[in-house]
Amino acid sequence: MRIRNYGNQLGMIGRIKVGMTNEKGLPISLDYFRFVSPYEDTLRRMRELFGEKPNSLPITFFSDDPSVSCAHFYELRNKAGQLVAVGDGRIFYRSTEHGVVEDNADDEKWKGQYMQGLARKYSEGNFQADWVERLKMKFLIIGCKEFGYWEFNTGAIAASIPQIVSTFDNCLQHAGRVQFLPFRLVVTKHKGNRVHASGRIYPVVNLILDLNIEALEQIAQYGENIQGLITEQKLQKYLPGKSNEQNG
């Protein structure tokens, strides 16, 4: 017997980021991907594979489900930074003293009133609670031999989010799948030209479908590598009494 709740889940290896804090504790943006993981051996191997400051990473998705591989959602946080509500624009989940409550906002007018009302509820004094768009991606990095996924989160609604979501959705619509197709995540620095962001330098992350033979062959090897970890020949070596028979 086995509990089925987690049967289709992979473990997370780490995250990739395009920002960090400097020695003064201030956030700074990067024009390369930074690997973050609790496993030092993993970080060392990723640096050996892709260098210290990679600006392009070969990836593939392990699921065709957008809510798993490329989740795009609204979130609302209170003054303390706690997540109090999250939703996809139609179904919302909000925290209450009795637990999490699900709300349906199919009607566009009611949706606006609902979101504005919750934002007002969690605003305090000079703090104005506001809904923000977020994107959370879960994927495999091609070349990484560890069995687990990497995660990338962003709130860049002006550049990264629209491009990534568009590429993902178009590929899913026209190809019928994204699972085990080769993509590349690429980060570049852009200079803002809007009135309130003129001169500001910020990173933009793009998702690119990369149908080259080498990437396809590497993806195909995932299954072969895992299946080849344990073979009949290897098992024979460790069977009880086998080594004694060979030595006798």
Side-chain angles (χ1 to χ4, degrees), residues 65-73 134-138 165 168:
D65 185 350
S67 67
V68 174
S69 295
C70 191
H72 182 207
F73 53 92
R134 299 291 303 176
L135 179 74
K136 179 183 290 186
M137 297 175 62
K138 295 179 180 180
V165 170
F168 185 95

Side-chain angles (χ1 to χ4, degrees), residues 23-244:
E23 62 278 1
K24 297 180 180 179
L26 299 174
I28 57 173
S29 61
L30 306 172
D31 57 357
Y32 59 90
F33 293 113
R34 184 168 66 93
F35 297 109
V36 178
S37 174
Y39 313 114
E40 285 298 326
D41 284 348
T42 295
L43 295 176
R44 175 180 54 78
R45 285 193 288 266
M46 297 308 284
R47 287 193 294 267
E48 290 173 354
L49 278 171
F50 301 107
E52 293 288 341
K53 298 179 178 181
N55 56 21
S56 178
L57 292 174
I59 72 165
T60 188
F61 297 103
F62 57 89
S63 172
D64 286 329
D65 185 350
S67 67
V68 174
S69 295
C70 191
H72 182 207
F73 53 92
Y74 296 104
E75 70 174 29
L76 182 69
R77 295 183 179 272
N78 62 18
K79 188 176 182 179
Q82 299 167 317
L83 184 65
V84 294
V86 64
D88 62 3
R90 187 175 66 86
I91 303 297
F92 290 85
Y93 300 91
R94 56 185 173 88
S95 299
T96 73
E97 58 183 3
H98 304 295
V100 176
V101 174
E102 179 181 317
D103 296 319
N104 192 312
D106 271 334
D107 181 83
E108 193 67 25
K109 181 178 178 181
W110 188 85
K111 166 191 163 184
Q113 295 172 346
Y114 171 84
M115 295 180 72
Q116 292 170 15
L118 272 185
R120 284 195 299 269
K121 177 181 177 180
Y122 289 102
S123 296
E124 300 179 44
N126 295 328
F127 172 74
Q128 177 64 51
D130 200 8
W131 290 91
V132 296
E133 287 185 42
R134 299 291 303 176
L135 179 74
K136 179 183 290 186
M137 297 175 62
K138 295 179 180 180
F139 49 86
L140 307 175
I141 295 181
I142 300 172
C144 175
K145 302 299 184 183
E146 297 181 44
F147 193 59
Y149 70 85
W150 291 81
E151 187 176 286
F152 172 68
N153 298 310
T154 181
I157 61 173
S160 297
I161 290 180
Q163 194 280 331
I164 291 173
V165 170
S166 177
T167 298
F168 185 95
D169 288 354
N170 274 293
C171 186
L172 193 58
Q173 178 183 353
H174 296 293
R177 58 178 289 195
V178 293
Q179 186 182 33
F180 300 133
L181 290 181
F183 293 84
R184 296 194 77 84
L185 273 184
V186 179
V187 59
T188 55
K189 279 288 191 73
H190 282 241
K191 187 174 183 179
N193 56 10
R194 296 185 179 183
V195 175
H196 299 292
S198 180
R200 186 174 72 90
I201 306 295
Y202 57 92
V204 173
V205 177
N206 291 329
L207 178 67
I208 300 169
L209 181 62
D210 187 17
L211 290 174
N212 68 79
I213 298 301
E214 182 182 354
L216 287 168
E217 288 177 345
Q218 283 186 288
I219 291 173
Q221 290 172 7
Y222 271 115
E224 295 173 6
N225 287 339
I226 294 169
Q227 292 169 6
L229 290 176
I230 300 176
T231 63
E232 184 66 26
Q233 184 178 7
K234 291 178 182 177
L235 282 174
Q236 290 296 325
K237 181 179 178 181
Y238 298 103
L239 286 174
K242 197 68 177 177
S243 58
N244 293 333

